[in-house]
Amino acid sequence: MTACTDDSPPSSASSSEPASPQAPTAPAATTPTGGTTAMNIRLTLDGHHVAATLNDSPTARDFAAQLPLTLSLRDLNQAEKIADLTRKLSTSGAPEGADPEVGDLAYYAPWNQLATYYRDAPYATGLVILGHMADGGAERLAGADEITIEAAP
């Protein structure tokens, strides 16, 4: 069971480093009909680039508005890496919780944290899936201490 199902933040939450300054990000791609689609992003995990995609949810769009971000990662239960965000994200229209998959990027609303998964983890109330890393990203994530997230070039 991951600690994300607990109601109290981990004791190391106050020792995380602040995120990088905010900068504007590229808008989500548009379909021919004018609707928005998923947004391609690039993760840098300890110097290695990994492609990822954010979904078109209000929470993911709010997260994208904060990019680029550089965050210190902490391991949680040998299944996920977590990082504190600088502000709460909108959870408008989000489901009550989610069952994350390996490679998922998610927002854990109760602790205001980015959660990134490199192993299977159970359903967690308050978890909102933001997107997913390309193949190979989860393996890089397992050993990473820092993540930079930016709009894909």
Side-chain angles (χ1 to χ4, degrees):
M1 181 181 305
T2 65
C4 280
T5 58
D6 188 353
D7 289 330
S8 60
S11 60
S12 63
S14 63
S15 65
S16 69
E17 297 192 9
S20 65
Q22 296 179 12
T25 185
T30 57
T31 62
T33 59
T36 59
T37 61
M39 177 183 178
N40 292 326
I41 59 172
R42 181 172 68 182
L43 311 178
T44 305
L45 298 164
D46 290 338
H48 300 280
H49 296 301
V50 174
T53 303
L54 294 178
N55 60 41
D56 190 30
S57 69
T59 307
R61 288 191 304 269
D62 195 19
F63 178 71
Q66 294 187 41
L67 300 182
L69 289 173
T70 297
L71 305 166
S72 294
L73 295 171
R74 298 183 308 279
D75 196 82
L76 188 62
N77 295 326
Q78 299 177 334
E80 63 187 284
K81 297 283 184 152
I82 59 172
D84 297 320
L85 295 175
T86 57
R87 68 168 176 83
K88 291 193 173 282
L89 301 178
S90 167
T91 54
S92 174
E96 182 178 309
D99 186 4
E101 296 180 8
V102 172
D104 276 349
L105 305 172
Y107 174 58
Y108 187 60
W111 295 350
N112 189 42
Q113 291 178 327
L114 175 67
T116 53
Y117 293 88
Y118 63 90
R119 289 206 177 114
D120 191 39
Y123 176 94
T125 300
L127 189 69
V128 180
I129 303 299
L130 301 174
H132 196 81
M133 290 179 262
D135 291 344
E139 292 80 17
R140 290 233 181 256
L141 176 65
D145 294 320
E146 182 177 87
I147 187 170
T148 297
I149 308 158
E150 58 194 338

